[in-house]
Amino acid sequence: MNALPQFDVLDHLRFDNRFVRELPSDQEPLNYPRQVLGACYSRVSPTKVAKPKLVAYAKEVADLLGLSKQVCESDDFVQVLVGNRLVDGMEPYASCYGGHQFGHWAGQLGDGRAINLGDVINRQGDRWALQLKGAGLTPYSRTADGLAVLRSSVREFLCSEAMYHLGVPTTRALSLVLTGEQVVRDMFYNGNPKAELGAIVCRVAPSFIRFGHFQICAARGDLDLLRRLTDYTLSTHFPHLGEPSPEAYLAWFEEVCRTTAEMIVHWQRIGFVHGVMNTDNMSILGLTIDYGPYGWLENYDPDWTPNTTDASERRYRYSNQPACAFWNLGQLANAIYPLIGQVEPLQQALNVFTEVFGELWQLMMTRKLGLGHFDPGCDDQLFSGLLSLLKMVETDMTIFFRQLAKIDLGKGPPIENVHIEALMAPLAEAYYVHEQKTPNYTSRLLDWLKLYNQRLLQEGISPEIRRESMNCVNPKYVLRNYMAQLAIDKAEQGDFAMIYELLELLRHPYDEQPEKGQHAAKRPDWARHRAGCSMLSCSS
């Protein structure tokens, strides 16, 4: 199949800015923080910067937009994606939305440090919205400056692409550009501000519409705006549901419940913790959006959250992510209730989340263990037993599942006749504190392995087939926080090589890549409590 032709200059991109064309605009032309009423967005231009410099770009995202290597390595690419130049068809704006933050209504929020450039229609006819994060002040910046720093921007750029290659629904990242400006940030809000390097990420997604876009309309009682926004959303992003109507609104909400459940199951599969699951950070397309204080479970701790702001209540801890997603969907249901006027069908649609999540979670765990199907007679016990074992001692979740595939199970002789230490040897890499492996733990692990082996024998799955199928869903490589921090440390000194190294590594997270095996190692001791490696804040 021949590759599609690519654009040689950015001005050839084709824009179709339906959002600004079909929805009402803020009538105040001046750009200053304020409450914006009766409008879905405010027109605003990115803040110009003096010395932008390209740090990295993602070739796969460039391909989506039809941008050639020549374009992506040009000065014009940098000037456009830092906001210094607008190409024909761009109509920059910041959108208005509200949201619940940590369970409490926060009122108007909006794109406080994100400026949308417009929607590109690529050669395949797909819609891709371009958004600059960190491009300057907007009417929604509140008391902030609308800027972002290199530290958080590296994390967002790398994680967006890592999640895509892991098979997780996500927004994408086209580019990461230094602004050449200094930005003052207090990383942990503890009275220790310092100047950091400013940066901008160009985020890319079919849409950046969030639950909070609908919530702000409902909270203000602006039902006409709520209906217009919902009708726009359906006609633009859910045309298969037909003309807007109460029935179509319900079908749309049910689809949002379903895609959100699918996204959360993926998070649980790979041990990803978003860290700030506020309703303004929930996409109506079921995409992972806003990579702030995220992290991956290293030692399996269901109560862990990487967000310092959430350290006391742990609302957004790993184990609570499904419940938080359900709660957030309930807030979206409340927002669109005026369009439907009935509680029962909305509740039935909400139940879809619970049903879909439950079914997909069982399927996900089945696949993580290399089984062919879920057996309700024994697999619930198999799954719960394993998760209990993972909590007993500090066990690296990613490494454990990857190494579990290497244990020689599913064939004779019986486990009782095998040397136990040799059998369990592949799992040694997963443990952080070997002294925690008490005789009680070893005995329980052996019992679980016997149960697992019986399941494999029941299905007649060969070790080779099991290993191959497990390695397709259990990644060897994830963007561990310490890896991102090492790349940040080097980038702040002007060395961007590790960003590209990690970008390339994470393109193939399920492959062995033996020459890069050091990146599959568990968290080093120095990273256990280091800022940026163990706990993070929303500061950027």
Side-chain angles (χ1 to χ4, degrees):
M1 181 177 178
N2 293 329
L4 289 167
Q6 294 180 313
F7 296 115
D8 293 323
V9 292
L10 286 163
D11 293 276
H12 288 170
L13 290 173
R14 180 165 67 94
F15 286 86
D16 176 38
N17 301 317
R18 291 186 63 184
F19 190 89
V20 298
R21 189 170 67 243
E22 298 183 8
L23 295 171
S25 171
D26 177 12
Q27 296 303 299
E28 171 58 69
L30 299 180
N31 183 11
Y32 63 93
R34 61 186 183 276
Q35 291 293 303
V36 175
L37 304 177
C40 288
Y41 65 93
S42 304
R43 294 185 183 273
V44 60
S45 295
T47 300
K48 288 183 167 52
V49 299
K51 295 181 179 179
K53 181 178 181 179
L54 180 66
V55 175
Y57 74 92
K59 61 184 181 182
E60 295 87 350
V61 185
D63 288 341
L64 284 177
L65 302 173
L67 299 176
S68 67
K69 183 174 184 286
Q70 176 185 352
V71 167
C72 295
E73 295 178 354
S74 69
D75 180 66
D76 191 52
F77 182 80
V78 176
Q79 297 298 330
V80 170
L81 295 180
V82 81
N84 279 354
R85 185 176 88 83
L86 299 179
V87 305
D88 291 343
M90 286 183 176
E91 298 181 77
Y93 68 92
S95 68
C96 180
Y97 53 82
H100 282 84
Q101 298 193 324
F102 300 97
H104 303 285
W105 176 245
Q108 177 182 291
L109 298 167
D111 288 329
R113 58 171 177 261
I115 295 178
N116 304 272
L117 297 177
D119 291 3
V120 171
I121 306 299
N122 68 9
R123 294 189 188 276
Q124 294 93 328
D126 301 322
R127 179 179 298 272
W128 293 102
L130 306 184
Q131 186 182 84
L132 301 183
K133 184 174 182 179
L137 190 74
T138 80
Y140 312 99
S141 297
R142 292 170 282 170
T143 59
D145 54 19
L147 305 176
V149 298
L150 180 63
R151 164 175 49 85
S152 61
S153 300
V154 168
R155 286 172 48 81
E156 172 131 16
F157 176 78
L158 286 175
C159 197
S160 300
E161 292 307 286
M163 291 285 271
Y164 170 76
H165 293 293
L166 283 163
V168 183
T170 180
T171 58
R172 306 292 300 276
L174 171 61
S175 60
L176 170 58
V177 180
L178 279 171
T179 63
E181 313 285 337
Q182 293 285 304
V183 177
V184 175
R185 285 291 179 269
D186 185 350
M187 184 175 178
F188 288 109
Y189 309 116
N190 60 1
N192 294 292
K194 72 171 187 175
E196 300 186 50
L197 298 175
I200 292 174
V201 173
C202 180
R203 306 196 288 195
V204 179
S207 173
F208 287 99
I209 296 177
R210 307 150 185 261
F211 292 8
H213 281 94
F214 305 91
Q215 287 185 280
I216 194 67
C217 299
R220 289 171 168 171
D222 194 339
L223 301 189
D224 177 66
L225 188 60
L226 175 63
R227 188 178 302 278
R228 291 181 66 179
L229 174 62
T230 307
D231 289 354
Y232 163 83
T233 300
L234 265 66
S235 63
T236 305
H237 302 294
F238 299 84
H240 56 282
L241 298 179
E243 291 298 315
S245 67
E247 293 74 22
Y249 300 148
L250 277 170
W252 165 64
F253 179 61
E254 183 175 315
E255 188 164 330
V256 175
C257 290
R258 179 174 290 104
T259 56
T260 301
E262 292 169 355
M263 175 187 74
I264 299 296
V265 168
H266 277 295
W267 289 5
Q268 305 304 98
R269 172 176 65 86
I270 61 173
F272 176 78
V273 187
H274 185 278
V276 60
M277 288 180 66
N278 299 328
T279 58
D280 56 296
N281 291 335
M282 298 293 291
S283 160
I284 51 95
L285 297 181
L287 303 175
T288 313
I289 191 171
D290 278 358
Y291 291 99
Y294 66 82
W296 264 267
L297 286 185
E298 291 179 312
N299 56 294
Y300 181 80
D301 177 1
D303 292 330
W304 182 72
T305 175
N307 190 349
T308 54
T309 309
D310 196 24
S312 58
E313 294 188 9
R314 298 183 183 272
R315 176 183 178 86
Y316 297 141
R317 62 192 181 275
Y318 171 77
S319 61
N320 206 40
Q321 290 184 135
C324 287
F326 181 81
W327 190 89
N328 289 343
L329 287 163
Q331 306 318 303
L332 178 59
N334 289 337
I336 65 172
Y337 169 77
L339 303 180
I340 295 164
Q342 299 179 68
V343 172
E344 185 176 351
L346 283 167
Q347 184 60 58
Q348 290 173 352
L350 267 175
N351 292 340
V352 168
F353 172 88
T354 305
E355 294 165 3
V356 170
F357 178 83
E359 292 171 2
L360 292 182
W361 189 85
Q362 289 176 342
L363 179 61
M364 175 267 290
M365 287 299 295
T366 301
R367 289 177 173 171
K368 283 182 77 67
L369 293 178
L371 299 171
H373 71 280
F374 175 73
D375 184 341
C378 58
D379 286 351
D380 283 329
Q381 179 186 354
L382 187 69
F383 299 163
S384 61
L386 175 57
L387 297 181
S388 294
L389 279 168
L390 292 176
K391 287 189 294 184
M392 281 187 69
V393 303
E394 280 195 65
T395 308
D396 191 287
M397 176 181 172
T398 302
I399 295 175
F400 182 91
F401 277 101
R402 192 74 179 192
Q403 293 299 109
L404 183 61
K406 296 181 180 180
I407 295 183
D408 200 14
L409 297 174
K411 63 179 184 180
I415 283 181
E416 288 81 355
N417 300 331
V418 174
H419 191 278
I420 302 305
E421 289 300 322
L423 178 73
M424 297 182 180
L427 299 179
E429 295 179 27
Y431 299 115
Y432 282 92
V433 184
H434 286 273
E435 292 75 16
Q436 293 178 346
K437 293 189 296 178
T438 62
N440 177 51
Y441 169 80
T442 302
S443 174
R444 288 184 58 177
L445 176 59
L446 180 60
D447 288 343
W448 183 84
L449 288 171
K450 291 177 182 178
L451 183 63
Y452 180 35
N453 191 51
Q454 289 172 4
R455 259 307 264 123
L456 294 170
L457 290 171
Q458 174 189 328
E459 290 208 351
I461 300 172
S462 72
E464 294 76 21
I465 295 298
R466 176 179 66 91
R467 186 174 301 121
E468 183 179 345
S469 60
M470 289 178 70
N471 286 349
C472 287
V473 295
N474 297 316
K476 180 176 180 178
Y477 302 98
V478 295
L479 184 62
R480 297 174 182 270
N481 281 341
Y482 84 86
M483 292 162 55
Q485 188 58 49
L486 289 174
I488 291 165
D489 292 343
K490 292 185 177 183
E492 289 179 336
Q493 301 303 314
D495 180 358
F496 308 141
M498 190 171 181
I499 293 176
Y500 272 109
E501 180 184 348
L502 292 179
L503 191 62
E504 180 59 30
L505 172 82
L506 297 167
R507 285 186 171 110
H508 310 282
Y510 300 100
D511 294 353
E512 283 297 324
Q513 302 187 74
E515 72 283 3
K516 301 174 182 177
Q518 73 275 15
H519 293 306
K522 57 182 176 281
R523 177 198 61 223
D525 285 342
W526 62 260
R528 181 180 288 268
H529 301 296
R530 184 186 165 184
C533 298
S534 56
M535 295 291 284
L536 303 108
S537 75
C538 297
S539 170
S540 69

